[in-house]
Amino acid sequence: MANEHAPSRDRFPAPATWLAGVSAAVLGAGLGELTAASVAPTSSPFAAIGGALIDAAPSWAKDLAIALFGTADKIALLVGIAAVMLVVAAVAGWLEVRRPPWGAGIVAAFGMVGAVVAVLRPGAEGLAWLPSVVAGVVGAATLWLLARRLRGLGLRRPAPARERTAGIRATAAARTDGSSPDPRSPVASPARAEQRGLDRRGFFVWSGAALAAGVLVAIASTARRAGSAAVEAVRGALRLPSPTTPAPPIPAGADLGIPDLAPVVTPNGSFYRIDTALVVPEIDPADWSLRIHGMVEQEVTITWDELLALPLAESDTTLACVSNTVGGLLIGNARWLGHPIRELLARARPTEDADMVLSRSIDGFTASTPLEVLTDDRPAILAVGMNGEPLPLEHGFPVRMVVPGLYGYVSATKWVVELEVTRFDRAKAYWSTRGWSERGPIKLQSRIDVPRRGRRLPPGETVIAGVAWQQHVGIDGVEVQIDDGPWQPATLATAISEDTWVQWSLPWTAESGAHEIRCRAISATGEVQTPDPAPPAPNGAQGLHRIRIDVD
Ligand SMILES: Nc1nc2c(c(=O)[nH]1)N[C@H]1C(S)=C(S)[C@@H](COP(=O)(O)O)O[C@H]1N2
Ligand SMILES: [Mo]
């Protein structure tokens, strides 16, 4: 190497220290993921810290994440955490070389914080602390070794005496064979130089190996998790009983079959998913039970087998997320199979003064649903089936709530394990403590799906079409306005029920030029959708959906 005999001060490239930090952290994180995959799936260092961040995030941050990344918000969060981790790791590497043992200390401290956070997560496994401890210990030890190698290369800037003494003391205390010469002494002989070249290569080989091993182990453990999804296998083998009360077939005229128009029944694979769970809870139905307690005369606990033995009814209900913006896609319609919550509450006999049911999922999420909504005649159910199959894992397997008329955050608890009968003035649900309205009836809304926004159209005969909804109220009409023209009534498709959205369409002779199209719904009670815009927080977006279209 050309500069082998140059003064040593510049031979110590900062990137080498960063590499030491990053390699050590990646190896630690990889082994942490492996440990998690083996003993505590929801407690990987990433999942624990990410989950805590999601819970700690203010609601504007949640809005922003959903606005920016939609249903990819969780991936964005994990990428963000990884990026921060890499920066911290690089800094730790730099520190460990210059001020041992601060760098290794930082890595170890990160692991310990991860362990504490993991243990405190709702639904944490017994060994929740282990993956983060493994990550911290492996990361710190690896960094200590790599940094010692780097320092051993004598590549350090000549340090002020005080710091140097401290460094020597730390190294001396750590070294086991006192025989090796102080490697930081200035190098003069060619043999020594050659030796240093080897050492330097050794450093890069070891760092690279740690980095590669960490990445490989992380990938392998993710694959292992997916491959070992025992609950997915249980779900696959499951045959749900046929409904005691089947729903009538979807009416022939319910789906207009227009390309690009949302199908009236949303396939499970394209059903929107919104929740706070970084790792989807895996509940074996055999271990599932639901406890109804609180302001009741009789506590009730029901197991999976008991639930399946009860009468199961099919119902069509459109779920909508309160974070859905005007024109947004966080809404879907499915045929659910389940048992009325009303019946189970009747067994528990809520006391006179109760007015709310706080449902809780296995991962600690809660929703506050008015007691009256769960006891009136609507199909508010404990659902086990979705579009003819057991609930997909990410939609709440094995049991979730489905309640027509309310946004999901106050009604649609997935992986539900507890119903606490209580009062609105005594308990607050997950999103209500974060600034969202404690009650969330769905607002009257409509959306234009066709023509697709931003698409160029040839002039001539075409069709405008979309969906409209106000669950448990129903839709009586949709009107469309093109540019400054009059509001024209669209034709409604046959509604499945008042609990579902309905498709609508209007023929249109498109003329060349730019056009703006707006729509508004009219509810079964005669309410006309308001043009006054409002953002999703705190109780649902409102305003008119409008699209701009260029006709050639
Ligand atoms: N356990 C749990 N259930 C939950 C949530 C959650 O974060 N955790 N989110 C709710 C919200 S905000 C919505 S909109 C619906 C979405 O249901 P889906 O993902 O099946 O579409 O689930 C609800 N149930
Ligand atoms: Mo939601």
Side-chain angles (χ1 to χ4, degrees):
M1 295 202 190
N3 64 347
E4 209 44 59
H5 296 277
S8 69
R9 55 190 307 272
D10 280 324
R11 289 201 204 119
F12 197 78
T17 67
W18 305 339
L19 175 65
V22 166
S23 304
V26 168
L27 183 63
L31 289 176
E33 291 299 313
L34 181 67
T35 313
S38 317
V39 302
T42 70
S43 303
S44 95
F46 278 110
I49 292 174
L53 284 177
I54 289 176
D55 288 354
S59 38
W60 61 260
K62 178 216 174 200
D63 291 351
L64 186 69
I66 291 182
L68 286 178
F69 306 110
T71 47
D73 54 347
K74 292 187 185 62
I75 296 178
L77 176 72
L78 288 178
V79 170
I81 295 174
V84 170
M85 194 198 88
L86 291 181
V87 170
V88 171
V91 171
W94 186 86
L95 260 180
E96 178 63 16
V97 175
R98 281 172 174 71
R99 296 260 195 291
W102 281 102
I106 287 180
V107 173
F110 248 68
M112 299 315 129
V113 169
V116 170
V117 168
V119 167
L120 296 179
R121 302 286 306 145
E125 296 98 340
L127 288 174
W129 50 272
L130 191 57
S132 291
V133 168
V134 167
V137 169
V138 170
T142 310
L143 178 54
W144 180 75
L145 285 169
L146 288 175
R148 208 170 68 132
R149 254 179 181 276
L150 254 193
R151 265 180 278 127
L153 291 175
L155 295 178
R156 205 165 99 142
R157 285 161 188 258
R162 226 177 338 123
E163 177 200 336
R164 212 175 155 122
T165 326
I168 290 167
R169 223 183 291 119
T171 319
R175 195 183 293 138
T176 41
D177 67 323
S179 61
S180 72
D182 180 358
R184 271 165 290 102
S185 50
V187 178
S189 79
R192 220 18 218 141
E194 183 167 319
Q195 178 57 38
R196 274 208 356 214
L198 283 177
D199 286 351
R200 183 181 298 214
R201 226 161 295 135
F203 166 76
F204 286 108
V205 167
W206 280 111
S207 304
L211 189 64
V215 169
L216 283 179
V217 167
I219 292 175
S221 21
T222 313
R224 187 195 134 97
R225 252 186 61 72
S228 74
V231 171
E232 188 61 71
V234 172
R235 176 183 175 275
L238 199 66
R239 292 288 160 269
L240 291 177
S242 31
T244 327
T245 320
I250 303 291
D255 201 309
L256 301 172
I258 298 172
D260 287 341
L261 172 58
V264 73
V265 178
T266 314
N268 290 354
S270 45
F271 207 97
Y272 82 95
R273 173 188 166 202
I274 290 288
D275 54 60
T276 60
L278 260 189
V279 176
V280 175
E282 291 183 12
I283 308 178
D284 187 327
D287 302 330
W288 179 88
S289 70
L290 177 87
R291 189 163 80 96
I292 307 178
H293 65 109
M295 299 171 67
V296 294
E297 274 163 29
Q298 174 70 56
E299 253 195 53
V300 173
T301 299
I302 179 168
T303 65
W304 172 251
D305 288 337
E306 287 164 350
L307 178 62
L308 288 198
L310 292 172
L312 298 179
E314 279 181 334
S315 50
D316 297 294
T317 295
T318 299
L319 279 191
C321 182
V322 70
S323 296
N324 198 26
T325 49
V326 173
L329 300 173
L330 301 180
I331 177 166
N333 182 50
R335 173 157 288 190
W336 309 94
L337 175 70
H339 183 72
I341 295 171
R342 186 194 319 118
E343 307 287 338
L344 295 174
L345 286 174
R347 283 201 215 172
R349 297 198 306 277
T351 57
E352 280 285 301
D353 46 344
D355 66 2
M356 187 258 270
V357 172
L358 190 73
S359 50
R360 185 172 281 113
S361 87
I362 195 154
D363 67 351
F365 170 88
T366 51
S368 54
T369 313
L371 186 59
E372 73 205 33
V373 169
L374 296 176
T375 47
D376 68 15
D377 61 353
R378 78 186 76 194
I381 58 170
L382 279 183
V384 296
M386 179 177 185
N387 289 330
E389 43 176 283
L391 294 176
L393 262 57
E394 62 272 26
H395 292 292
F397 184 80
V399 183
R400 75 173 304 168
M401 286 172 55
V402 173
V403 181
L406 304 182
Y407 288 119
Y409 82 107
V410 286
S411 70
T413 305
K414 305 191 267 190
W415 315 291
V416 64
V417 292
E418 210 182 295
L419 302 183
E420 180 185 349
V421 180
T422 177
R423 294 177 51 85
F424 276 105
D425 59 15
R426 285 193 199 167
K428 291 237 174 300
Y430 188 93
W431 288 114
S432 308
T433 59
R434 290 163 174 81
W436 293 75
S437 169
E438 61 185 12
R439 290 166 204 250
I442 291 177
K443 292 183 177 178
L444 178 61
Q445 265 296 330
S446 54
R447 185 180 82 197
I448 305 166
D449 285 358
V450 182
R452 279 259 282 273
R453 34 193 128 168
R455 163 137 339 154
R456 297 191 71 86
L457 273 188
E461 292 305 312
T462 182
V463 67
I464 302 170
V467 282
W469 62 91
Q470 186 172 28
Q471 289 89 306
H472 206 59
V473 175
I475 298 296
D476 254 13
V478 169
E479 294 177 337
V480 177
Q481 186 185 38
I482 300 160
D483 302 323
D484 295 325
W487 283 98
Q488 310 174 51
T491 305
L492 288 189
T494 313
I496 300 175
S497 79
E498 63 185 17
D499 295 328
T500 66
W501 62 7
V502 60
Q503 295 186 348
W504 56 265
S505 71
L506 179 75
W508 179 40
T509 312
E511 288 168 13
S512 294
H515 298 284
E516 186 175 87
I517 305 173
R518 284 173 281 275
C519 68
R520 68 181 181 199
I522 295 138
S523 80
T525 57
E527 180 189 346
V528 179
Q529 186 184 330
T530 177
D532 301 335
N539 62 356
Q542 63 180 45
L544 302 186
H545 188 211
R546 51 188 73 207
I547 61 166
R548 299 192 55 81
I549 288 293
D550 287 316
V551 180
D552 293 333

